């Protein structure tokens, strides 16, 4: 077996194992990687409408993500009733809010795309460039 | 009085069926090109196992269709809805049958008859060497812009709009690789391999529906650059053919579901007026900033820039004469792949976009962005069609999710196909070095080097900002003009090829010459309109970016038309001399 073929098989197997682990973890966590929900408040002031951002915590599973989103939504409701969070110093009326989920880079997500690339080149290294025949199938 | 949905759907289906057989097959294939099943195609004569590989016609149809169908056939007609439904519908149907599909088919066949070279290089034979290089540089530049735009769009979709689509992309590629392996190396055959791949793809969709993948925008840009670099250099049979073939199933499901929903509501009234206005807001043709709401986009010539690839597109000729022509196994397959591929894209525009928007129209639609306009209309059409079975709300929501999946699936396809096409264009630009300096030529046209150069430049435009605006966005308002100008030039090249190489004369030649001149006049008028009326009023940063591109495009347009007229005139003179000599003898 040539070095190229051996490297190809090794990269393919490693990528498959990584993806199997990632997908199993994703199924257990309800997501792959981590995210940070943020609360965006629209505040009407004398100078016009401003947006105040209240960052949430970084979470890496869907249950925690849902809980964090609910916590921020509650803050948004409270802000609409006049109780502005400490992050927002602007004086004015909160006219609306929304909770947005922003992605965060994590080792498991980076491993996922690395395995993705590995799977792209691994079989090519292992099996070579040419199809077994030139008859169109 | 409101017309029923049937007034849109039935004429569309009849026009495509009749047009495919009577015009595509009988006129183009049999009388003009005289396609011959016994003639060996470049996929065999230049087989290299990487780019030149013969493909099954359905596999190739899948590749071609998935590559030419980006967001254009959806966004374009949704934008054009501000004119009403009738005029955009007629533009799509007639544009498909007599311009777009003719352009795609002839670009494919001209390339096949010239050993699989691009339509830009075919121009050398009919318009001269200067025309070829001007054309190639122009197309390569346009492809860099496409790369930048799709890198940015794909990264935005995966990072912000739909992290679930990112999971789907990661799962989908290994399934396509497996399909390629089963078909091309394990010899399982197309049917069994397809069944295995489709089952896995469905399971993958279910998984990705529940499990999103989170990565930031900038990380996605770099990952997608790496992906595009590798995917554009790998053999076509390995990933491109099986992946696009699988994609075609998804797109067909999308077209089929749209047709089914439209059939279920054939008797329902269309709420949108047939004609709303003949002069739309400037934003519909790339009027950026405060000018956007001014009524400055007359239906003609603006419509050619607005509907874009729902009707015709220059990018199609680059695909047809780039990746597709190198994989065509039989000249007779070109009708399905080239002509049929364009009609299928037109079916997406008419059945899946114009029909639902017309059906669900309300005054609120005027103020919606085109994507929201389409998603709302599509959901409502399904709600009305299937509401009795699963409930209107569930049907509408499911349709909207399905539509979003169909849209995002093709982003990645276009990305690596565009990089492969940029690699081809780059390599053909250095043809002149092949004999003069073979060493340098070999390095510059090495597929890994050529692929890296294009994607790096595209990536720079995707991440670099100027005045707070991404570099590619500054140029983007001119892209519609660039792309449609490319279509006009490719069709003129094809017309010259038909006249001077195939030696087709009379009414048959006119079936290609007349649409090519009409398209050139329309696109040139649209470009001139944009430069004179729109450009002076858009923000300065766009004036520099998009304005420069539009002006360069316009100058190139005039030069290539001059080359076209000069060649046509000399060809006509030759014909007269031949006729005189024939009469003497």
């Amino acid at each position: 077996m040539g070095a190229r073929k051996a490297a190809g098989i090794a990269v393919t197997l490693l990528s498959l194992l990584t993806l199997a682990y990632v997908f199993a973890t994703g199924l257990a966590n309800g997501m792959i990687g981590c995210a940070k929900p943020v609360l965006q408040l629209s505040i009407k002031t004398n100078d016009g409408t401003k947006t105040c951002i209240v960052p949430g915590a970084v979470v890496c599973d869907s249950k925690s993500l849902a809980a964090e989103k609910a916590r921020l939504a509650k803050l948004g409701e409270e802000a609409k009733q006049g109780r502005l969070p400490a992050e927002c110093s602007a004086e004015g009326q909160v006219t609306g809010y929304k909770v947005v989920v922003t992605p965060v880079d994590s080792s498991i997500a980076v491993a996922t795309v690395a395995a993705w690339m590995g799977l792209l080149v691994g079989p090519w290294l292992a099996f070579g460039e040419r199809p077994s025949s030139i008859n169109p199938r | 009085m409101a017309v029923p949905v049937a007034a849109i759907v039935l004429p569309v289906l009849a026009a495509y069926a009749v047009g495919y057989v009577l015009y595509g097959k009988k006129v183009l294939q049999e009388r003009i090109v005289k396609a011959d099943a016994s003639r060996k195609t470049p996929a065999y004569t230049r087989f290299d196992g990487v780019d030149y590989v013969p493909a099954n016609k359905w596999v190739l149809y899948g590749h071609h269709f998935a590559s030419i169908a980006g967001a254009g056939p959806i966004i374009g007609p949704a934008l054009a809805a501000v004119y009403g439904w009738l005029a955009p519908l007629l533009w799509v149907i007639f544009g498909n049958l007599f311009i777009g599909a003719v352009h795609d088919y002839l670009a494919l066949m001209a390339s096949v008859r010239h050993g699989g070279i691009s339509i830009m290089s075919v121009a050398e034979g009919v318009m001269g060497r200067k025309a070829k290089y001007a054309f190639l540089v122009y197309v390569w530049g346009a492809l860099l812009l496409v790369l930048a735009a799709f890198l940015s769009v794909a990264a935005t979709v995966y990072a912000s709009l739909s992290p679930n689509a990112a999971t789907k992309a990661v799962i989908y590629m290994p399934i396509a690789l497996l399909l390629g392996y089963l078909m091309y190396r394990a010899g399982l055959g197309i049917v069994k391999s397809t069944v295995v791949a489709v089952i896995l793809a469905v399971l993958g969709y279910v998984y990705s529906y529940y499990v999103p993948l989170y990565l930031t925008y900038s990380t996605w840009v770099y990952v997608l650059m790496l992906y595009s670099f590798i995917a554009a250099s790998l053999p076509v049979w390995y990933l491109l053919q099986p992946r696009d073939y699988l994609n075609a199933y998804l797109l067909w499901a999308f077209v089929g579901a749209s047709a089914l929903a439209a059939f279920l509501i054939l008797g329902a009234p269309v709420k949108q007026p047939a004609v709303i206005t003949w002069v739309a807001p400037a934003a519909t043709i790339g009027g950026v900033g405060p000018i956007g709401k001014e009524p400055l986009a007359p239906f003609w010539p603006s419509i050619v820039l607005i509907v874009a690839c729902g009707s015709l597109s220059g990018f199609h000729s680059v695909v047809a004469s780039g990746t597709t022509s190198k994989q065509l196994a039989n000249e007779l397959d070109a009708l399905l792949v080239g002509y049929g591929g364009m009609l299928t894209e037109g079916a997406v525009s008419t059945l899946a976009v114009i029909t639902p928007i017309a059906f669900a129209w309300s005054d609120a639609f005027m103020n919606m962005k085109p994507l929201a306009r389409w998603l709302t209309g599509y959901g409502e059409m399904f709600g009305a069609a299937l509401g009795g079975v699963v409930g209107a709300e569930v049907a509408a929501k499911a349709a909207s999710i399905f539509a979003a999946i169909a849209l995002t699936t093709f982003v990645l396809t276009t990305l690596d196909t565009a990089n492969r096409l940029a690699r081809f264009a780059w390599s053909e630009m250095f043809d002149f070095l092949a004999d003069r300096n073979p060493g340098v030529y070999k390095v510059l046209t090495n597929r890994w080097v050529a692929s890296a150069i294009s994607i790096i430049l595209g990536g720079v435009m995707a991440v670099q900002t100027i005045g707070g605006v991404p570099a590619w966005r500054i140029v983007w308002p001119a892209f519609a003009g660039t792309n449609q100008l490319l279509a006009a030039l490719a069709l003129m090249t094809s017309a010259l090829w038909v006249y001077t190489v195939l030696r087709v004369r009379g009414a048959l030649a006119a079936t290609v010459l007349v649409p090519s001149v009409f398209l050139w006049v329309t696109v040139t008028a649209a470009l001139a309109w944009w430069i004179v009326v729109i450009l002076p009023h858009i923000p300065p940063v766009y004036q520099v970016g998009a304005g420069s591109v539009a002006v360069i495009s316009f100058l190139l347009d005039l030069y290539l038309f001059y080359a076209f007229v000069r060649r046509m005139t000399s060809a006509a003179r030759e014909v007269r001399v031949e006729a005189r000599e024939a009469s003497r003898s």
Side-chain angles (χ1 to χ4, degrees):
Chain A
M1 185 190 295
R4 177 185 158 126
K5 188 163 188 168
I9 292 172
V11 169
T12 305
L13 289 178
L14 193 62
S15 301
L16 283 173
L17 284 173
T18 306
L19 282 181
Y21 169 75
V22 165
F23 288 152
T25 309
L27 206 56
N29 290 347
M31 59 196 269
I32 300 169
C34 302
K36 183 172 77 170
V38 294
L39 172 66
Q40 294 178 352
L41 294 172
S42 296
I43 304 174
K44 195 175 179 185
T45 67
N46 292 335
D47 303 330
T49 302
K50 290 182 176 174
T51 302
C52 175
I53 293 176
V54 182
V58 174
V59 291
C60 302
D61 67 274
S62 58
K63 279 185 188 158
S64 305
L65 181 63
E68 188 64 7
K69 281 165 73 178
R71 184 183 74 80
L72 291 172
K74 195 175 164 213
L75 278 180
E77 282 299 326
E78 287 174 0
K80 273 181 91 173
Q81 288 159 14
R83 293 194 294 278
L84 279 174
E87 289 88 344
C88 305
S89 56
E91 293 213 346
Q93 173 76 33
V94 174
T95 54
Y97 73 89
K98 63 179 173 181
V99 178
V100 179
V101 178
T102 58
V104 174
D105 287 336
S106 59
S107 52
I108 192 167
V110 171
T112 307
V113 288
W116 192 38
M117 292 300 112
L119 216 48
L120 191 58
V121 293
W124 167 69
L125 288 171
F127 298 122
E129 295 235 300
R130 296 194 168 217
S132 56
S133 89
I134 66 166
N135 290 324
R137 294 163 204 252
Chain B
M1 192 188 78
V3 298
V5 169
I8 298 179
V9 174
L10 299 180
V12 165
L13 294 176
Y16 285 160
V18 172
Y20 183 82
V21 177
L22 294 187
Y23 194 66
K25 187 167 189 288
K26 298 289 178 192
V27 177
L28 281 177
Q29 180 180 267
E30 294 179 1
R31 298 190 62 196
I32 293 181
V33 173
K34 295 188 175 73
D36 179 359
S38 65
R39 191 182 277 129
K40 286 274 181 198
T41 60
Y44 290 101
T45 57
R46 301 183 69 179
F47 175 80
D48 64 0
V50 178
D51 297 317
Y52 290 86
V53 180
N56 173 286
K57 72 174 175 182
W58 292 105
V59 171
L60 189 58
Y61 167 82
H63 158 67
H64 186 76
F65 182 29
S67 300
I68 62 173
I74 290 170
I75 302 296
L79 256 175
V82 292
Y83 291 106
W85 63 264
L86 182 61
L89 182 77
L90 293 175
W91 177 261
V92 172
I93 295 173
F94 287 104
N96 277 172
L97 289 173
F98 298 111
I99 305 177
V102 177
H103 159 275
D104 295 13
Y105 176 76
L106 289 178
L108 172 57
M109 285 308 299
S111 170
V112 165
R113 294 279 174 87
H114 286 80
I117 59 173
S118 69
I119 191 71
M120 298 81 82
S121 291
V122 171
E124 181 177 12
V126 292
M127 283 198 271
R129 204 171 170 79
K130 280 184 200 160
K132 167 190 165 174
Y133 287 112
F135 209 169
L136 272 171
V137 171
Y138 185 70
V139 168
W140 185 67
L143 286 169
L144 294 188
L145 188 56
V146 170
L147 284 174
F150 277 81
L151 275 173
S152 181
V153 169
T156 304
V157 168
Y158 294 157
S160 312
L161 301 179
S162 178
N164 298 73
T167 311
K168 182 167 62 64
V170 172
I171 293 177
Y172 203 62
M173 191 200 69
I175 296 171
L177 289 174
L178 177 68
L179 176 64
Y181 176 79
L182 294 176
M183 282 198 300
Y184 288 102
R185 293 198 76 95
L188 193 60
I190 194 165
V191 177
K192 287 180 188 165
S193 307
T194 303
V195 170
V196 171
V198 168
I199 290 171
L200 288 174
V202 171
L203 291 175
Y205 280 125
V206 174
Y207 179 87
S208 58
Y209 183 82
Y210 292 104
V211 183
L213 166 62
Y214 288 105
L215 271 174
T216 58
Y217 172 85
S218 54
T219 305
W220 269 121
V221 170
Y222 293 118
V223 168
L224 291 170
M225 281 173 69
L226 183 62
Y227 163 80
S228 185
F229 162 66
I230 299 170
S233 307
L234 290 172
V236 287
W237 65 269
Y238 179 79
L239 173 66
L240 181 140
Q241 284 183 355
R243 190 266 322 274
D244 292 355
Y245 169 65
L246 263 187
N247 279 350
Y249 277 90
L250 179 69
L251 202 52
W252 261 110
F254 174 59
V255 176
S258 307
L260 175 70
F263 263 101
L264 291 174
I265 55 165
L266 278 180
V270 165
K271 294 184 197 130
Q272 186 185 19
V275 176
I276 294 174
T277 181
W278 291 105
V279 187
T284 49
I285 52 165
V288 186
I291 193 183
K293 289 185 178 170
E294 300 289 319
L296 290 173
F299 182 79
W300 190 93
S302 311
I303 192 69
V304 72
L305 306 191
I306 297 169
V307 168
C309 55
S311 174
L312 58 109
S313 162
F315 182 67
H316 296 188
S317 66
V318 185
V319 175
S321 66
T323 48
T324 307
S325 64
K326 295 173 179 62
Q327 301 173 66
L328 192 80
N330 185 324
E331 283 197 354
L332 298 184
D333 296 349
L335 184 70
L336 171 77
V337 175
Y339 199 83
M342 180 72 250
L343 296 195
T344 317
E345 191 170 0
V348 171
S349 291
T350 49
L351 299 177
V353 185
I354 294 177
T355 306
I357 289 177
F359 166 74
W361 187 263
S362 69
D363 290 344
F365 273 51
M366 279 305 268
N367 298 319
M368 285 182 187
K369 289 194 170 170
L371 190 60
R373 190 182 285 154
W374 170 61
L375 284 172
T376 308
Y378 196 72
E380 282 194 29
M381 181 172 83
F382 270 80
L386 301 173
V389 185
V390 293
E393 203 174 316
V394 173
K397 190 178 174 192
S400 294
I401 291 172
F402 180 55
I405 285 175
L407 187 68
T408 54
T409 296
F410 300 102
V411 172
L412 216 55
T413 312
T414 306
L415 189 61
D416 69 63
T417 300
N419 197 28
R420 190 179 290 267
L421 296 169
R423 167 162 77 78
F424 293 158
W426 170 267
S427 299
E428 288 180 15
M429 276 195 282
F430 293 99
D431 279 354
F432 67 95
L433 280 176
D435 295 327
R436 289 185 206 168
N437 198 332
V440 173
Y441 175 75
K442 205 173 171 187
V443 171
L444 283 173
T445 59
N446 173 284
R447 67 185 213 248
W448 297 98
V449 173
S451 177
I453 287 170
S454 303
I455 194 65
I456 287 171
L457 291 174
V460 168
M461 283 202 283
V463 293
Q464 186 65 44
T465 59
I466 299 169
V469 183
W472 71 272
R473 274 196 183 277
I474 288 169
V475 187
W476 194 250
F479 181 74
T482 309
N483 183 40
Q484 297 307 67
L485 172 60
L486 177 57
L489 300 178
L491 193 56
M492 286 190 325
T493 305
S494 300
L496 275 174
W497 176 69
V498 165
Y499 195 76
T500 60
V501 178
L502 299 184
R503 305 181 75 79
V504 175
R505 302 283 182 261
L508 271 182
T511 58
V512 186
L513 282 169
V514 171
S516 71
V517 173
F518 169 76
L519 183 61
W520 181 83
V521 170
T522 304
V523 175
T524 304
L527 263 176
W529 180 268
W530 195 85
I531 291 169
V532 174
V533 177
I534 307 288
L535 185 63
H537 303 284
I538 64 177
V541 70
Y542 291 93
Q543 281 182 350
V544 175
S548 317
V549 172
V551 170
I552 291 169
S553 301
F554 193 74
L555 294 176
L556 180 80
D557 178 34
L558 296 180
Y559 167 68
L560 287 176
F561 188 69
Y562 161 73
F564 169 78
V565 171
R566 200 179 52 175
R567 184 67 187 98
M568 272 308 293
T569 313
S570 69
R573 203 179 304 131
E574 286 162 21
V575 170
R576 280 198 298 275
V577 171
E578 279 170 20
R580 214 175 298 138
E581 284 172 1
S583 65
R584 272 185 209 145
S585 61

CSV table of all heavy atoms in Angstrom, one decimal, chain B residues 460-476:
chain,number,residue,atom,x,y,z
B,460,VAL,N,-11.3,37.6,-0.4
B,460,VAL,CA,-10.9,39.0,0.0
B,460,VAL,C,-12.0,39.9,-0.1
B,460,VAL,O,-12.3,40.7,0.7
B,460,VAL,CB,-9.7,39.5,-0.8
B,460,VAL,CG1,-9.4,41.0,-0.6
B,460,VAL,CG2,-8.4,38.7,-0.4
B,461,MET,N,-12.8,39.8,-1.3
B,461,MET,CA,-13.9,40.7,-1.5
B,461,MET,C,-15.1,40.4,-0.5
B,461,MET,O,-15.9,41.3,-0.2
B,461,MET,CB,-14.4,40.6,-2.9
B,461,MET,CG,-13.6,41.3,-3.9
B,461,MET,SD,-14.5,41.6,-5.4
B,461,MET,CE,-14.5,40.1,-6.2
B,462,ALA,N,-15.1,39.1,0.0
B,462,ALA,CA,-16.2,38.8,0.9
B,462,ALA,C,-15.9,39.3,2.3
B,462,ALA,O,-16.9,39.6,3.0
B,462,ALA,CB,-16.3,37.3,1.0
B,463,VAL,N,-14.6,39.4,2.7
B,463,VAL,CA,-14.4,39.8,4.1
B,463,VAL,C,-13.9,41.3,4.2
B,463,VAL,O,-14.1,41.9,5.3
B,463,VAL,CB,-13.3,38.9,4.8
B,463,VAL,CG1,-13.8,37.5,5.0
B,463,VAL,CG2,-12.0,38.9,4.0
B,464,GLN,N,-13.4,41.8,3.1
B,464,GLN,CA,-12.9,43.2,3.2
B,464,GLN,C,-14.0,44.2,3.1
B,464,GLN,O,-15.0,44.0,2.3
B,464,GLN,CB,-12.0,43.4,2.0
B,464,GLN,CG,-11.3,44.8,2.0
B,464,GLN,CD,-10.3,45.0,3.1
B,464,GLN,OE1,-9.6,44.1,3.5
B,464,GLN,NE2,-10.4,46.1,3.8
B,465,THR,N,-14.0,45.2,4.0
B,465,THR,CA,-15.1,46.2,3.9
B,465,THR,C,-14.5,47.6,3.5
B,465,THR,O,-13.3,47.9,3.7
B,465,THR,CB,-15.8,46.4,5.3
B,465,THR,OG1,-14.8,46.8,6.2
B,465,THR,CG2,-16.5,45.2,5.7
B,466,ILE,N,-15.3,48.4,2.8
B,466,ILE,CA,-14.9,49.7,2.4
B,466,ILE,C,-16.0,50.7,2.9
B,466,ILE,O,-17.1,50.5,2.5
B,466,ILE,CB,-14.7,49.8,0.8
B,466,ILE,CG1,-13.6,48.8,0.4
B,466,ILE,CG2,-14.4,51.2,0.4
B,466,ILE,CD1,-13.6,48.6,-1.1
B,467,GLY,N,-15.6,51.6,3.7
B,467,GLY,CA,-16.6,52.5,4.3
B,467,GLY,C,-17.7,51.8,5.0
B,467,GLY,O,-18.8,52.2,5.0
B,468,GLY,N,-17.3,50.7,5.6
B,468,GLY,CA,-18.3,49.9,6.4
B,468,GLY,C,-19.2,49.0,5.6
B,468,GLY,O,-20.0,48.2,6.1
B,469,VAL,N,-19.0,49.0,4.3
B,469,VAL,CA,-19.8,48.1,3.4
B,469,VAL,C,-18.9,47.0,2.8
B,469,VAL,O,-17.7,47.3,2.4
B,469,VAL,CB,-20.4,48.9,2.2
B,469,VAL,CG1,-21.2,48.1,1.3
B,469,VAL,CG2,-21.1,50.1,2.7
B,470,PRO,N,-19.3,45.7,2.9
B,470,PRO,CA,-18.5,44.7,2.3
B,470,PRO,C,-18.1,45.0,0.8
B,470,PRO,O,-19.0,45.5,0.1
B,470,PRO,CB,-19.3,43.4,2.3
B,470,PRO,CG,-20.3,43.7,3.4
B,470,PRO,CD,-20.5,45.2,3.4
B,471,ALA,N,-16.8,44.7,0.5
B,471,ALA,CA,-16.4,45.1,-0.9
B,471,ALA,C,-17.2,44.6,-2.0
B,471,ALA,O,-17.6,45.3,-2.9
B,471,ALA,CB,-14.9,44.7,-1.1
B,472,TRP,N,-17.7,43.4,-1.9
B,472,TRP,CA,-18.5,42.8,-3.0
B,472,TRP,C,-19.8,43.5,-3.1
B,472,TRP,O,-20.4,43.6,-4.2
B,472,TRP,CB,-18.7,41.3,-2.8
B,472,TRP,CG,-19.6,40.9,-1.7
B,472,TRP,CD1,-19.3,40.7,-0.4
B,472,TRP,CD2,-21.0,40.7,-1.7
B,472,TRP,NE1,-20.4,40.4,0.4
B,472,TRP,CE2,-21.4,40.3,-0.4
B,472,TRP,CE3,-21.9,40.7,-2.8
B,472,TRP,CZ2,-22.8,40.0,-0.2
B,472,TRP,CZ3,-23.3,40.4,-2.5
B,472,TRP,CH2,-23.7,40.1,-1.2
B,473,ARG,N,-20.4,44.0,-2.0
B,473,ARG,CA,-21.7,44.6,-2.1
B,473,ARG,C,-21.6,46.0,-2.8
B,473,ARG,O,-22.6,46.4,-3.5
B,473,ARG,CB,-22.2,44.9,-0.6
B,473,ARG,CG,-22.9,43.8,0.0
B,473,ARG,CD,-23.7,44.2,1.2
B,473,ARG,NE,-24.4,43.1,1.8
B,473,ARG,CZ,-25.5,42.5,1.3
B,473,ARG,NH1,-26.1,43.1,0.3
B,473,ARG,NH2,-26.1,41.5,1.9
B,474,ILE,N,-20.5,46.6,-2.8
B,474,ILE,CA,-20.3,47.9,-3.5
B,474,ILE,C,-20.4,47.7,-5.0
B,474,ILE,O,-20.9,48.5,-5.7
B,474,ILE,CB,-18.9,48.5,-3.1
B,474,ILE,CG1,-19.0,49.0,-1.6
B,474,ILE,CG2,-18.5,49.6,-4.0
B,474,ILE,CD1,-17.7,49.3,-1.0
B,475,VAL,N,-20.0,46.5,-5.4
B,475,VAL,CA,-20.0,46.3,-6.9
B,475,VAL,C,-21.3,45.6,-7.3
B,475,VAL,O,-21.7,45.6,-8.5
B,475,VAL,CB,-18.8,45.3,-7.2
B,475,VAL,CG1,-18.6,45.2,-8.7
B,475,VAL,CG2,-17.5,45.9,-6.6
B,476,TRP,N,-21.9,44.9,-6.4
B,476,TRP,CA,-23.1,44.1,-6.7
B,476,TRP,C,-24.2,44.7,-7.5
B,476,TRP,O,-24.8,44.1,-8.3
B,476,TRP,CB,-23.6,43.4,-5.4
B,476,TRP,CG,-24.5,42.3,-5.7
B,476,TRP,CD1,-25.9,42.2,-5.5
B,476,TRP,CD2,-24.2,41.0,-6.2
B,476,TRP,NE1,-26.4,41.0,-5.8
B,476,TRP,CE2,-25.4,40.2,-6.3
B,476,TRP,CE3,-23.0,40.4,-6.6
B,476,TRP,CZ2,-25.4,38.9,-6.8
B,476,TRP,CZ3,-23.0,39.1,-7.1
B,476,TRP,CH2,-24.2,38.4,-7.2
